[in-house]
Amino acid sequence: SSGINAEYGDCQDAADDTNKHPLLRFHIKFSKLHLAVLLPSNYPEDSPAEIRITWCGLPSDSESIVTDKLKSILSDNMGECVVLNVMSELSEFLSDIDESQEPALPTETVKQHYSRLWYYAHHIYSREKRSHMMKWSKELCLSGFILPGKPGIICVEGSKESCKEFNSKVRSMNWQLLKLQHEESSLRKTKFVEFKELIFDVHGRANNHQDLGQFRNFLESQRLKDTFQILFNV
């Protein structure tokens, strides 16, 4: 099965930002991989789709097969719409993997539940720490974000087991202050489609304080308004 999240806006992070075009940006979540898809405004006639893969537990030998399939589809369908073609091919391929590798499920369907952890840190400056957290989130198939600066906020969501492992890893690093400020469990779905860093307007003598008003607006846009009060005890 797969899930899709989409948004429409200006391309702010394209490789060539000298010629920005509106684009459709969306994520497709499969059981063992995620696709980040960018469709330029002149797609498909003049510009092909950009598709990036994030692996989530797919066997290494299957990763190369998926990569080759994706390259083949894109090269064989230049100038044509390919997204549905990609989804169909990958769905069929992943179904074959699931049937060959996973044991039969019990008669009663097991519902997936998710956890979400919220951390408050005195500060998050270290590029090394931030790099580690980005790497762990990818390995554990977690979504969420890091808000670097002073103070710093970390949010991770995913399976209970993956969140528990991330908690162990993040606490193994040296912190001046790191508190698990809030924990949500038995969630029916996640809020975020990927794990990333949030960057808002900065201020302060060292330019290390992010605009918490903008951060609060971001949480409200995700229907997480009450979490701001929990994180900052206001």
Side-chain angles (χ1 to χ4, degrees), residues 14-207:
D16 180 10
D17 58 5
T18 61
N19 185 23
K20 296 177 181 178
H21 295 284
L23 52 75
L24 181 64
R25 175 190 299 109
F26 58 95
H27 298 258
I28 306 172
K29 284 190 172 184
F30 291 94
S31 59
K32 289 183 172 63
L33 60 85
H34 299 170
L35 299 180
V37 183
L38 300 178
L39 301 182
S41 59
N42 49 0
Y43 164 85
E45 290 84 2
D46 300 318
S47 298
E50 292 185 26
I51 302 179
R52 302 172 185 171
I53 304 177
T54 300
W55 310 108
C56 294
L58 197 66
S60 57
D61 57 339
S62 298
E63 290 182 7
S64 60
I65 297 176
V66 169
T67 301
D68 290 342
K69 278 182 174 289
L70 181 58
K71 289 180 179 178
S72 176
I73 293 172
L74 293 177
S75 63
D76 292 345
N77 296 274
M78 293 295 292
E80 299 180 12
C81 297
V82 297
V83 176
L84 292 180
N85 202 349
V86 168
M87 290 183 63
S88 176
E89 288 278 346
L90 292 185
S91 293
E92 182 177 349
F93 179 72
L94 293 174
S95 295
D96 291 342
I97 292 178
D98 290 338
E99 291 177 2
S100 64
Q101 294 185 348
E102 295 182 2
L105 293 174
T107 304
E108 182 179 351
T109 302
V110 178
K111 293 184 178 180
Q112 175 72 54
H113 289 100
Y114 302 98
S115 296
R116 185 180 300 123
L117 307 181
W118 297 88
Y119 298 88
Y120 178 97
H122 179 269
H123 65 266
I124 303 176
Y125 299 144
S126 169
R127 291 186 179 277
E128 183 179 3
K129 287 180 180 177
R130 289 150 61 183
S131 176
H132 282 320
M133 288 187 281
M134 296 294 291
K135 177 175 178 287
W136 296 334
S137 67
K138 181 178 179 179
E139 292 174 348
L140 298 171
C141 293
L142 295 171
S143 52
F145 61 83
I146 304 169
L147 180 71
K150 181 181 181 181
I153 301 295
I154 307 165
C155 170
V156 292
E157 59 180 13
S159 70
K160 180 179 179 180
E161 294 76 14
S162 293
C163 286
K164 183 177 180 181
E165 185 171 347
F166 181 90
N167 180 69
S168 176
K169 289 177 178 292
V170 78
R171 289 184 176 280
S172 69
M173 298 189 290
N174 292 324
W175 300 89
Q176 181 172 335
L177 172 68
L178 180 72
K179 295 193 298 183
L180 179 58
Q181 194 82 333
H182 184 43
E183 181 175 358
E184 301 171 76
S185 59
S186 300
L187 302 173
R188 296 179 62 182
K189 60 181 181 180
T190 57
K191 285 282 187 183
F192 307 101
V193 296
E194 60 182 340
F195 190 84
K196 62 182 182 180
E197 286 198 355
L198 299 180
I199 302 296
F200 301 113
D201 294 338
V202 295
H203 58 90
R205 287 184 298 178
N207 283 331

